[in-house]
Amino acid sequence: MLWINAAAVRPALSIIQALFLFPGIEKAAAGFLPSISVYAPELTIGRLKAYRIIVIIMYKYLLLVCLSLLAFSSLHAQILQGKVVDKNGIPVQDAYILSNDVSQHTHTNELGAFKHDGFQPGDTLKISFIGFSTQSLVLESKDFSEPMVITLREAPINLDQVVISNQNNSLNQISQIDLRNNPVNSSQEILRKIPGLFIAQHAGGGKAEQIFLRGFDIDHGTDINISVDGMPVNMVSHAHGQGYSDLHFLIPETVERVDFSKGPYYADKGNFTTAGYIEFQTKERLGSSMASVEYGQFNSTRTVGMFDLLPAGSDHQAYIAGEYILTDGPFESSQHFNRINLMGKYTVNLPGNDKLSIQASHFDSKWDASGQIPQRAVDAGIITRFGAIDDTEGGFTSRSNIAINHTRNIDGNSFIKSNAFYSHYDFELFSNFTFFLEDPVNGDQIRQVEDRNIFGLQSVYHRQFEPGDMDIDLQAGLGLRYDQINDNQLARTANRKTTLEEIARGDINESNLYGFVNSEFEIGNFLINPGVRLDYLKFDYVDNLTTAYRTLSEGKAIVSPKLNFMYNPSPFWQIFLKSGMGFHSNDTRVVVARSGEQILPAAYGVDLGTVWKPLPRLWFNTALWYLYLQQEFVYVGDAGIVEPSGKTRRTGIDFGLRYQISDRFFLDSDINYTFARAIEEPEGANYIPLAPDLTAVGGIVYQSKGGFSGGLRYRYIKDRPANEDGSITAIGYFITDLNANYTWNKTTFSLIIDNLFDTEWNEAQFATESRLRNEDAPIEELHYTPGTPFFLRGKVSFRF
């Protein structure tokens, strides 16, 4: 007999009541969807009424189910429970446990634990997960008397092992496959592991990458939520742009798992989750120590060291890792780029299946840059493709982090996962986009600076129930993020030395208090996933350029409902329908300048798709999707001004394929098409600048038994409009990269070639109005940063 601990349920209920029972919540639930008609007149009244009914049902149903859980005092069932771990005792999350006749199944949670009442003595279970050998186990009566521990052994990637589990985000298995087949060597390559995501670098390698996904020019992170071990990467109200995401503090070799999804469909993901989210999890244990050195063209050197500090098999795990990079780059003016990364992580498995993890890291980066160059200067022979109009661009940035993650196991059904973090961040960037447009004498160089402290904490209550034939997973969380930004500056400068004019300088304090409830109801082959999120944001700004002291302040709350459906007719096929509302906050300076108007522009999305394995080694995924964004006002950090940006609508289709041709050959491909337009602009002037419409990535991997492995990869992006009327075109490209590796004993020799065929391509591209020193009038045309030419590197890695 299983007794549900009612006292353990009550903390979750108090959170639920706080979220659902405050005055007016039902009115808000009933009224928020019809208000879309103000922003999306193309939606029919019938659709609005249908959406309204769905939202009201979702609110009432979620509250009813959560409250009714107290009514279950006892359940009669024979419960099988246990834990799946790897050879080092580290929990394996999302391992799939399937009965031999496929009638019963479950999967492990974040603790590697599972629990199910559908298995019986004599059943044969298959336990599988990507990168591990599938294990078969015949259940005996004794297995039901106490929790069992199942240890999986590592094995080469085999698509035979992949089961499409009845989960909200089964596509995450793609990233696990890609990460194992194509190890990464830089933080840029980590982002490219997300199907359909493109990046561009245009400031010497030290600046955060420009990101493109689902028809978005996301800039440096405005519409994608990025985090590492629970720490946010996106910077609110950043000196250079809203949501600025510098991921360079992450050492790629330390990444264990990449969790990603597209769209605003997840209650635990908040600000910036419109196009999607990416969550990186670092390793708890290395397994072995490693040192590598890499050297290549353009005086490029990269060294990495990762050292396991404690023996295997212990409840304690600890390691330190470091990365150092030097390069001059392919430009005529040396980048003088250097970066250092240091990281340490300690994890202990405590009694009662509790866990505590503490990590600290520090990152420094300094560089010079040639910036974006005008096409006319190259055509006229004034400079080459790798020359510069102003080679005094560049900057410095650093980030120090400390984070604590704790998991408290309450009982076999529930646990609380908490994390707290602190980050200190410095940023200084020199840019010149328009050359001599504003200042014909000194030029248009600008300096952007900020000094930031970020504090955050979050606690999430997880609870599992099995009333009758239904499995219920409930998560309820509360959290806080506080950004303290001192002396956020924008100034006109000359040669990095002289300040000519201060354009903006002030102190920013921005707080985000949030709560969410997410639930999953598994009934047979169906999974229903309703959720809701409440965010309250407070914006304070003090303008330090005014003589009088005054704090400008605004605040606003937003409710973001989600409702997703999954249907798994078999362990090899899933059909899903996802819907939800997300948002990204506007810059604090926009909020106070507009007196709170459009503080939190919302995004409304829906995905209809499928994941299918028609053959044991063939995986398909596809989705039709729609995303609508409200009116917003954008703070242009490079000019210190506020610009309106209208309503937008994006529709598209994603298609992915993974095919294991044989034990040695693996093929993958992702193709994405998007139709993106501004709603309120006339036809022909409604293009969204730089929004990609057709992209494709893929490749083939070879892994032999004799120690040789290699891969050939490509990425393609089609020509796209660079301005609203399409009169200027951002030129597409097709790039091929190659890597080859040979492992002898504990040493691996690698050859890495970027841009194998030395294709001439433009990486970052913009339609910009600029003026050269001797020009009488400004000209608007394509400005770009040239993409890396043929780039050869050699690498030696040694494990010990």
Side-chain angles (χ1 to χ4, degrees), residues 635-657:
Y635 178 79
V636 183
D638 299 334
I641 60 174
V642 177
E643 289 184 349
S645 177
K647 306 175 183 69
T648 62
R649 177 177 56 237
R650 293 167 172 84
T651 58
I653 182 169
D654 297 341
F655 176 81
L657 176 148

Side-chain angles (χ1 to χ4, degrees), residues 487-488 502-508 540-553 588-589 592:
D487 219 22
N488 189 303
E502 285 190 303
I503 301 173
R505 179 162 59 87
D507 298 329
I508 299 170
D540 293 334
Y541 182 66
V542 176
D543 190 342
N544 292 333
L545 294 183
T546 61
T547 55
Y549 175 85
R550 181 189 176 193
T551 299
L552 302 175
S553 182
T588 292
R589 290 157 292 191
V592 298

Side-chain angles (χ1 to χ4, degrees), residues 200-511:
Q201 177 57 257
H202 56 93
K207 185 179 177 182
E209 284 76 24
Q210 185 181 9
I211 301 173
F212 302 93
L213 180 67
R214 280 203 162 181
F216 281 87
D217 171 11
I218 296 177
D219 195 18
H220 298 289
T222 309
D223 287 286
I224 188 167
N225 182 305
I226 304 176
S227 63
V228 176
D229 290 334
M231 292 185 295
V233 178
N234 303 76
M235 300 288 182
V236 297
S237 303
H238 189 271
H240 186 65
Q242 179 70 335
Y244 186 90
S245 300
D246 188 347
L247 195 61
H248 296 146
F249 68 89
L250 178 62
I251 301 173
E253 285 85 352
T254 65
V255 174
E256 175 71 22
R257 179 185 175 94
V258 183
D259 178 14
F260 78 92
S261 191
K262 302 172 186 178
Y265 311 128
Y266 307 94
D268 62 332
K269 307 301 178 190
N271 201 0
F272 305 112
T273 312
T274 52
Y277 76 87
I278 309 172
E279 182 178 0
F280 296 96
Q281 296 178 20
T282 58
K283 299 176 185 291
E284 292 183 2
R285 181 190 293 276
L286 300 179
S288 63
S289 298
M290 184 273 287
S292 71
V293 61
E294 179 182 313
Y295 183 78
Q297 292 176 274
F298 318 123
N299 294 321
S300 300
T301 301
R302 178 176 184 261
T303 61
V304 175
M306 303 199 306
F307 307 99
D308 219 339
L309 302 180
L310 296 175
S314 169
D315 287 333
H316 301 260
Q317 301 100 38
Y319 68 88
I320 57 174
E323 175 190 46
Y324 186 55
I325 302 174
L326 291 170
T327 185
D328 290 337
F331 301 93
E332 294 177 7
S333 297
S334 173
Q335 291 184 3
H336 301 115
F337 174 80
N338 62 78
R339 177 191 302 155
I340 186 168
N341 265 329
L342 298 172
M343 173 193 174
K345 188 171 183 177
Y346 168 75
T347 303
V348 56
N349 296 317
L350 301 170
N353 211 21
D354 291 1
K355 181 187 292 186
L356 176 67
S357 177
I358 303 173
Q359 66 184 88
S361 62
H362 178 75
F363 146 79
D364 265 317
S365 187
K366 182 180 181 298
W367 70 97
D368 297 330
S370 297
Q372 298 131 44
I373 58 174
Q375 183 65 54
R376 64 185 183 276
V378 178
D379 293 341
I382 299 173
I383 59 173
T384 69
R385 280 179 50 83
F386 293 96
I389 301 298
D390 182 356
D391 63 358
T392 64
E393 296 188 31
F396 164 83
T397 187
S398 71
R399 177 168 177 164
S400 299
N401 306 298
I402 184 166
I404 300 174
N405 288 272
H406 178 252
T407 302
R408 173 74 172 91
N409 188 46
I410 298 175
D411 54 35
N413 295 314
S414 59
F415 64 94
I416 296 176
K417 187 173 183 179
S418 304
N419 74 291
F421 66 88
Y422 166 74
S423 296
H424 180 256
Y425 172 80
D426 284 315
F427 175 84
E428 181 180 41
L429 180 68
F430 294 91
S431 307
N432 188 345
F433 304 108
T434 55
F435 311 123
F436 295 93
L437 177 67
E438 304 292 340
D439 188 338
V441 177
N442 298 296
D444 297 345
Q445 186 182 86
I446 59 172
R447 175 178 180 256
Q448 294 165 314
V449 180
E450 70 167 58
D451 183 339
R452 178 186 301 248
N453 295 299
I454 313 174
F455 305 86
L457 55 90
Q458 175 179 275
S459 189
V460 183
Y461 176 83
H462 297 252
R463 182 78 179 177
Q464 293 179 312
F465 304 89
E466 295 177 353
D469 294 329
M470 181 188 298
D471 292 336
I472 302 175
D473 284 349
L474 172 70
Q475 303 93 39
L478 290 173
L480 169 68
R481 170 178 172 172
Y482 173 66
D483 287 69
Q484 179 190 63
I485 311 164
N486 302 312
D487 219 22
N488 189 303
Q489 299 180 35
L490 171 64
R492 300 192 187 280
T493 57
N495 199 34
R496 290 205 194 183
K497 299 292 185 181
T498 306
T499 299
L500 303 175
E501 177 190 5
E502 285 190 303
I503 301 173
R505 179 162 59 87
D507 298 329
I508 299 170
N509 290 273
E510 186 169 328
S511 303

Side-chain angles (χ1 to χ4, degrees), residues 45-64:
I45 298 298
R47 288 179 182 174
L48 288 174
K49 289 182 178 179
Y51 294 161
R52 178 180 182 274
I53 292 171
I54 290 173
V55 171
I56 294 173
I57 292 174
M58 185 188 72
Y59 272 80
K60 289 182 176 290
Y61 183 49
L62 185 58
L63 179 59
L64 177 64

Side-chain angles (χ1 to χ4, degrees), residues 298 330 386 735 754-755 758-759 761 763 785-791:
F298 318 123
F386 293 96
I735 302 298
D754 295 340
N755 195 358
D758 199 20
T759 302
W761 63 293
E763 185 164 11
T785 299
T788 304
F790 180 92
F791 183 18

